[in-house]
């Protein structure tokens, strides 16, 4: 990667890389690139990810320096967060208001990533003060807690959506635990391949509430798990009696007793009843999607 003396437009080529290397090092080392791209550190974010039937995701919602590779993760997670909600609203399973949670959850995540990429660009400067700052940060990252915090920040594994505060799992990414089921040993993520909400029952006291109205779009699995539950950044957490995992992999409910809000969480994230057949007439109000 080389820095150009001025902002330029158009597609770059090998000659641009060669010129940059010659300017900085006095030689291009005979380097022959197979692929060249040009980017800036322009940083922008849409004020709103939803306006009526228009929904923004990925590069349409946010742009930033690609340093650190956070853009791909941001865009994919935007799509994962929005996709299942959009499907439920379009198919009449959930109210239109479910789509408002997309902006509420994803806008703060991107804003934080943009702040991080701007800081990363600033740390690439070569003046003496920035070098001193880099040395100071290197010392801080020698501390395990600081290193874990930054790893969670850059990977996105420390994200927590506002799904409540009664259990440390709520709003966080479900760990891919090995669990025992009636069908044998499997992993949590293997049970999520059909993109349905997943309710794991680890022996909830008093059993689960009546789930008839959410069948068949809810997958229910009786499971057993030995050993610790550990989350990135957070560390070890108490094992819940049951866990409701959204199709995007985040925990919508977890607790010690299924009577403590599970039915409310099911209604909030899965809607009130059986899905309606997808309408295809000319007056269907399908939200749009833009990338």
């Amino acid at each position: 990667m080389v820095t150009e003396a001025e902002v330029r437009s158009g597609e770059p080529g090998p000659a641009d890389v060669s010129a940059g290397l010659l300017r900085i090092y006095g030689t291009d080392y005979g380097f022959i690139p197979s692929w060249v791209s040009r980017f800036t550190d322009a940083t922008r974010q849409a004020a709103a990810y939803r306006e009526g039937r228009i929904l923004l995701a990925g590069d349409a919602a946010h742009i930033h320096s690609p340093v650190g590779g956070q853009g791909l993760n941001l865009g994919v997670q935007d799509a994962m967060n929005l996709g299942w909600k959009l499907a439920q609203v379009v198919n009449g399973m959930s109210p239109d208001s479910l789509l408002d949670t997309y902006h509420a959850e994803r806008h703060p995540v991107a804003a934080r990533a943009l702040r991080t990429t701007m800081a990363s660009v600033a740390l690439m400067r070569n003046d003496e003060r920035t070098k001193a700052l880099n040395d100071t940060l290197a010392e801080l990252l020698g501390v395990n807690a600081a290193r874990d915090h930054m790893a969670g920040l850059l990977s996105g594994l420390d994200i927590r959506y506002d799904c409540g505060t009664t259990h440390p799992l709520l709003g966080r990414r479900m760990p891919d635990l090995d669990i025992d089921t009636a069908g044998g040993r499997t992993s949590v993520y293997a049970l999520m391949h059909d993109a349905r909400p997943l309710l794991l029952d680890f022996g909830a006291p008093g059993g689960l509430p009546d789930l008839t109205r959410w069948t068949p779009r809810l997958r229910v699995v009786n499971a057993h798990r030995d050993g610790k539950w550990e989350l990135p950044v957070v560390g070890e957490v108490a094992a819940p009696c049951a866990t409701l995992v959204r199709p995007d992999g985040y925990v919508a409910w977890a607790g010690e007793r299924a009577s403590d809000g599970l039915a409310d969480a099911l209604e909030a994230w899965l809607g009130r009843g059986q899905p309606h057949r997808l309408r295809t007439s000319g007056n269907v109000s399908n939200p749009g999607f833009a990338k």
Side-chain angles (χ1 to χ4, degrees):
M1 183 175 67
V2 295
T3 302
E4 295 182 294
E6 58 187 25
V7 176
R8 301 174 62 185
S9 60
E11 291 294 325
D16 295 292
V17 179
S18 178
L21 291 171
L22 285 169
R23 184 180 68 255
I24 298 170
Y25 300 108
T27 177
D28 63 4
Y29 303 101
F31 176 63
I32 303 176
S34 58
W35 176 73
V36 181
S37 66
R38 175 178 284 132
F39 62 88
T40 74
D41 63 348
T43 303
R44 302 286 187 274
Q45 184 180 24
Y49 284 9
R50 183 191 183 194
E51 182 65 35
R53 295 170 58 209
I54 304 300
L55 294 147
L56 305 179
D59 292 348
H62 40 71
I63 60 170
H64 55 87
S65 167
V67 171
Q70 295 183 68
L72 176 60
N73 189 38
L74 272 178
V76 169
Q77 287 295 313
D78 284 349
M80 287 294 293
N81 187 287
L82 176 60
W84 67 275
K85 297 174 182 177
L86 192 60
Q88 289 194 174
V89 172
V90 168
N91 284 285
M93 300 175 183
S94 296
D96 181 78
S97 58
L98 180 65
L99 293 175
D100 292 331
T101 66
Y102 168 60
H103 170 92
E105 292 182 341
R106 293 302 300 169
H107 195 274
V109 171
R112 187 181 65 162
L114 265 58
R115 182 191 67 189
T116 304
T117 56
M118 286 192 292
S120 297
V121 170
L123 289 172
M124 296 172 64
R125 297 169 182 162
N126 291 319
D127 61 273
E128 292 304 315
R129 288 176 174 78
T130 305
K131 290 178 180 178
L133 177 59
N134 271 297
D135 290 341
T136 301
L137 284 175
E139 290 182 14
L140 290 174
L141 291 176
V143 179
N144 287 339
R147 188 164 56 245
D148 290 344
H149 175 80
M150 288 303 299
L153 175 66
L154 295 176
S155 65
L157 291 176
D158 68 341
I159 292 171
R160 184 179 188 185
Y161 298 138
D162 185 11
C163 295
T165 58
T166 56
H167 194 281
L169 274 170
L170 279 172
R172 296 192 182 276
R173 189 171 183 83
M174 178 69 182
D176 190 19
L177 304 173
D178 290 326
I179 57 177
D180 294 312
T181 69
R185 175 65 65 91
T186 186
S187 69
V188 172
Y189 289 1
L191 297 173
M192 298 181 63
H193 288 177
D194 58 0
R196 284 186 293 169
L198 173 66
L199 179 57
L200 295 171
D201 180 6
F202 294 98
L208 299 175
D210 183 9
L211 303 172
T212 304
R213 57 186 171 136
W214 292 291
T215 304
R217 52 194 169 98
L218 171 66
R219 184 171 190 176
V220 182
V221 177
N222 295 319
H224 177 75
R225 160 75 180 182
D226 287 323
K228 301 176 180 178
W229 285 47
E230 191 164 343
L231 296 179
V233 181
V234 176
E236 187 176 343
V237 299
C241 72
T243 305
L244 176 62
V245 187
R246 306 187 326 188
D248 60 358
Y250 285 82
V251 177
W253 181 89
E256 300 304 319
R257 297 182 63 87
S259 59
D260 296 336
L262 174 56
D264 292 336
L266 287 165
E267 186 169 312
W269 296 108
L270 276 71
R272 292 191 172 185
Q274 295 288 344
H276 303 299
R277 180 173 297 178
L278 176 63
R279 296 170 295 172
T280 57
S281 60
N283 62 354
V284 63
S285 181
N286 291 349
F289 182 87
K291 180 184 182 301

